[in-house]
């Protein structure tokens, strides 16, 4: 075994201190230096790296189970230690293992661009999603869960984002079909997932999926997790191959819409940054209005009575800029604009209300990786 | 109609996923089996699964939210257990190319058609050929003619199903998810046909 020497060192370190959980982390830190350094001796090859990591984790698990100090440990404790190891080592190896292959980065970019075109015109009908499932609040929630995937570095947490997204969709399907006396199955699930994926357009989608596939502990990418993960892979693959024939849409209409979307995107690229970023270009508000402190928002202090008809045009243009910027900002931070959601209730509660998930597996320690 | 009352119980829903997976490492006595469902939309795949999962009382079985992934454990006479992890696939034509992602690594494929629909029988044969070409070579395949309660509307003769299954080395059964006829038998027969890890 390649790692037997490292394992030996680690176990000796562990045995120095009876506080297993605490020690394993410290020992791990020392130990992983050698593992990580050994990684850097090899050229980047995702499949090889994946195999090496899986092998390493298996060996570690076997070593832990064999060690006298862990003799009384429950499955849960061993599992916990293993989850810790996976997270630690993958966080350390992140820059090497995530989207580091030029080919993957290229695929990511192609998917991102294709989806941003599709976003301009794709409607639920094009995927024959029944009207009962049209629920913007749930879809937004599912999108948000999926977008969180880039806030994490550990494979387990990335996978949890996917599972949470699927869970939101499943809840929606179940709630909506309750009244219809229907059983929501894959026929209902997959189209909605594809639609949510297109709306969410999470950057580096391909790399994220590949990362989970290669680096999530194999024993954990099974069963229900594997099923939903496969659905994500499947939705991605559908989008990559998507053309006029894949949708319920006239083929010429599809091509025209894609073309139009290309123009729209080109234009918005040229137009940016929006007017609010360069207040000098703004029309000067009427003299009577205060403009305290050179504010970018010249009408902030204005009274309704002071406004002239001539101000309407400027106000409207300012309003549009503010809304645009706000929407862009929301998109950037993955938070849906207020107008599309029920009035503000805190994010976490909102999630719980819809998720109804006592399941432990779903309880991700949603702390973003520093 | 059909299985409308068979929605999974949401309040007791527990995920059979990550945490419990390591617990019972699969061994010769406790098999964990990936089963993929294939067939046209509307032939009754979801109903069959729900009937199977719901119809059997097993306090340890975990029913999840949503019917596209479900699992159910059955005990066989030789005191072994088989946990079926049932993967539903989208039956619409536009997703046909994605099926290999789902049946890859499956130990069992259940191909379902509707005995009142010759088209669905043709589609079933397409799936069988797909599986023979791209599935794992030792996959256990079952051909299921569902909606057997609709005798008066039957358009696919039993014998056609029997013959086709025999020619392709498959297990064949006609079921009704509506009356629960042959549903448990379907899964029990599959369980019996699974290759067992040889006791070492
Ligand atoms: N009469 C009858 N109807 C069935 C049976 N199984 C399913 N159905 C009905 O067929 C329709 C489609 O069933 P579903 O399970 O959703 O099909 P799926 O698309 O293959 O999952 C539903 O309306 C069911 O009520 C059956 O055994 N007998
Ligand atoms: Mg179904």
């Amino acid at each position: 075994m390649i790692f037997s020497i490292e394992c030996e060192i680690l176990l000796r370190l562990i045995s120095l201190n009876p506080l297993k959980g605490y020690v394993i982390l410290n020992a791990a830190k020392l130990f992983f230096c050698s593992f990580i350094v050994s990684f850097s001796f090899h050229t980047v090859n995702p499949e090889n790296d994946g195999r090496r990591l899986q092998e390493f984790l298996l060996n570690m698990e076997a070593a832990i189970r064999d060690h006298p100090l862990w003799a009384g440990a429950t499955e849960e404790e061993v599992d916990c230690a293993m989850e810790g190891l996976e997270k630690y080592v993958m966080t350390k190896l992140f820059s090497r293992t995530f989207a580091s292959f030029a080919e993957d980065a290229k695929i990511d970019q192609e998917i991102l661009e294709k989806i941003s075109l599709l976003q301009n015109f794709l409607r639920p009908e094009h995927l024959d999603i029944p009207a009962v499932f049209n629920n913007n609040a749930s879809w937004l929630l599912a999108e948000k869960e999926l977008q969180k995937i880039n806030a994490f570095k550990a494979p387990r947490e990335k996978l949890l984002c996917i599972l949470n997204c699927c869970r939101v969709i499943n809840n929606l399907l179940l709630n909506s079909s309750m009244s219809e006396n229907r059983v929501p199955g894959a026929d209902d699930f997959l189209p909605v997932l594809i639609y949510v994926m297109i709306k969410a357009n999470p950057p580096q989608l391909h790399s994220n999926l590949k990362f989970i596939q290669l680096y999530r502990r194999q024993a954990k990418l099974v069963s229900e997790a594997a099923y939903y993960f496969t659905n994500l892979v499947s939705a991605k693959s559908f989008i990559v191959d998507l053309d006029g024939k894949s949708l319920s849409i006239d083929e010429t209409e599809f091509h025209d819409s894609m073309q139009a979307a290309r123009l729209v995107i080109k234009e918005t690229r040229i137009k940016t940054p929006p007017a609010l970023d360069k207040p000098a270009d703004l029309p000067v508000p009427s003299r009577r209005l205060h403009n305290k402190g050179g504010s970018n928002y010249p009408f902030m202090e204005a009274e309704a009575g002071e406004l002239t008809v001539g101000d309407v045009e400027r106000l409207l243009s300012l309003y549009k800029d503010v809304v645009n910027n706000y929407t862009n900002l929301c998109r950037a931070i993955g938070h849906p604009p207020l107008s599309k959601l029920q009035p503000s209730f805190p994010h976490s509660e909102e999630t719980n209300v819809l998720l109804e998930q006592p399941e432990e597996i779903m309880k991700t320690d949603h702390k973003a990786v520093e | 109609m059909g299985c409308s009352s068979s929605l999974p119980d949401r309040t007791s829903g527990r995920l059979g996923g990550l945490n419990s997976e390591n617990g019972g490492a699969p061994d010769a006595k406790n098999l964990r089996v990936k089963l993929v469902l294939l067939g046209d939309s509307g032939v009754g795949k979801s109903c069959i699964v729900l009937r199977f999962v719901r119809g059997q009382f097993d306090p340890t079985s975990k029913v999840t939210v949503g019917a596209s992934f479900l699992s159910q454990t059955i005990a066989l006479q030789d005191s072994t257990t088989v946990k079926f992890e049932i993967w539903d696939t989208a039956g619409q034509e536009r997703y046909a190319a994605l099926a290999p992602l789902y049946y890859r690594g499956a130990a069992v494929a259940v191909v379902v058609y509707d005995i009142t629909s010759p088209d669905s029988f043709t589609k079933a044969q397409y799936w069988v050929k797909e599986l023979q070409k791209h599935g794992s070579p030792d996959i256990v395949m079952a051909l299921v003619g569902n909606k057997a309660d609709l005798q008066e509307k039957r358009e696919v003769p039993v014998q056609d199903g029997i013959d086709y299954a025999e020619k392709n080395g498959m297990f064949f059964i006609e079921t009704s998810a509506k009356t629960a006829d042959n549903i448990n038998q379907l899964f029990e027969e599959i369980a019996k046909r699974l290759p067992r890890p040889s006791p070492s």
Side-chain angles (χ1 to χ4, degrees), chain A residues 183 185-187, chain B residues 45-46 88:
Chain A
V183 188
D187 291 349
Chain B
K45 298 182 295 296
S46 299
D88 193 12

Side-chain angles (χ1 to χ4, degrees), chain A residues 28-80:
Chain A
K29 282 180 185 162
L30 280 171
F31 162 69
F32 288 125
C33 290
S34 75
F35 179 70
I36 290 158
V37 167
S38 84
F39 238 78
S40 59
F41 290 153
H42 302 261
T43 51
V44 173
N45 173 324
E47 276 70 30
N48 272 346
D49 284 2
R51 215 171 311 119
R52 283 162 55 75
L53 184 93
Q54 295 291 348
E55 194 182 333
F56 159 73
L57 289 173
L58 279 177
N59 290 337
M60 282 306 301
E61 188 172 341
I64 286 173
R65 284 183 196 280
D66 278 351
H67 196 269
L69 190 67
W70 288 76
T74 62
E75 279 301 319
E76 220 167 18
E77 283 175 303
V78 174
D79 188 56
C80 214

Side-chain angles (χ1 to χ4, degrees), chain A residues 187, chain B residues 1-2 41-47 146-147 149-150 176-178:
Chain A
D187 291 349
Chain B
M1 57 176 282
S41 282
V43 297
K45 298 182 295 296
S46 299
C47 288
N146 188 43
K147 307 201 186 180
D149 56 290
L150 299 176
S176 167
K178 187 177 183 177

Side-chain angles (χ1 to χ4, degrees), chain A residues 147-153 157-158 161 367-370:
Chain A
Q147 282 161 343
K148 281 184 197 159
I149 201 167
N150 285 311
F152 299 97
K153 287 183 174 173
E157 287 156 349
K158 286 182 179 291
C161 296
K367 283 174 284 175
V369 179
E370 32 334 308

Side-chain angles (χ1 to χ4, degrees), chain B residues 63-79:
Chain B
V63 178
T64 44
V65 171
S68 34
F69 177 93
L70 288 169
S71 67
Q72 173 69 293
T73 306
I74 61 170
L76 299 180
Q77 253 140 27
D78 59 355
S79 81

Side-chain angles (χ1 to χ4, degrees), chain A residues 191-210:
Chain A
V192 175
L193 178 65
I194 291 169
Y195 191 73
V196 163
M197 189 181 263
I198 288 173
K199 299 252 288 173
N201 200 8
Q204 300 185 297
L205 180 61
H206 162 78
S207 288
N208 272 295
L209 295 177
K210 187 167 177 179

Side-chain angles (χ1 to χ4, degrees), chain A residues 50 53 82 86 204 239 246 255 281 285 295-296 298 311 317 344:
Chain A
L53 184 93
M82 291 311 299
E86 182 198 278
Q204 300 185 297
I239 292 170
S246 327
H255 289 294
D281 288 352
S295 156
N296 286 347
D311 290 321
S317 120
S344 57

